[in-house]
Amino acid sequence: MFIRHRAPAGADPAALERAVDEEIDRLADGGVTEDALEGARAQIRRDWHDRLAHPAGRADELCAQEAYFGDASRCDRHLAGVLDVGAAEVGAAAADLLGPAHRAVLTYEPARAPA
């Protein structure tokens, strides 16, 4: 899992990192609303159906289910399992997977023109 963001020119990378940390803390404390969860579910559902609508996407997903779980037929059940995730589970995952102990932060800055 990764979080990617682009800062506007001149922004302080440390301040941006603090803002991301605050959002992760809010999620970990159960800060996801049912409305936000429903919006995410709609997006996930749309993305899933879009991926499976194309033969290459369907093949990729079948191969991934077989490789990761040893069962390509899991493809038929995958979406239902993802849509079953609730607000408490989102908070627990944020606390477990997105905390400072589980991350690496990379900051890319544009090269400065030679003087």
Side-chain angles (χ1 to χ4, degrees), residues 90-103:
V90 170
D96 186 40
L97 301 173
L98 300 178
H102 301 286
R103 75 171 71 143

Side-chain angles (χ1 to χ4, degrees), residues 26-92:
R26 189 185 67 73
L27 285 173
D29 290 338
V32 65
T33 65
E34 192 58 37
D35 284 345
L37 207 50
E38 279 307 312
R41 287 179 181 132
Q43 183 68 42
I44 290 166
R45 190 178 297 110
R46 187 195 68 78
D47 289 348
W48 179 254
H49 290 298
D50 187 52
R51 182 177 9 211
L52 296 185
H54 305 286
R58 185 176 297 268
D60 285 346
E61 196 55 49
L62 287 166
C63 288
Q65 296 295 329
E66 183 65 35
Y68 294 135
F69 304 105
D71 181 9
S73 73
R74 246 181 126 262
C75 214
D76 297 333
R77 301 179 303 279
H78 175 76
L79 182 60
V82 171
L83 297 179
D84 252 0
V85 172
E89 293 165 295
V90 170

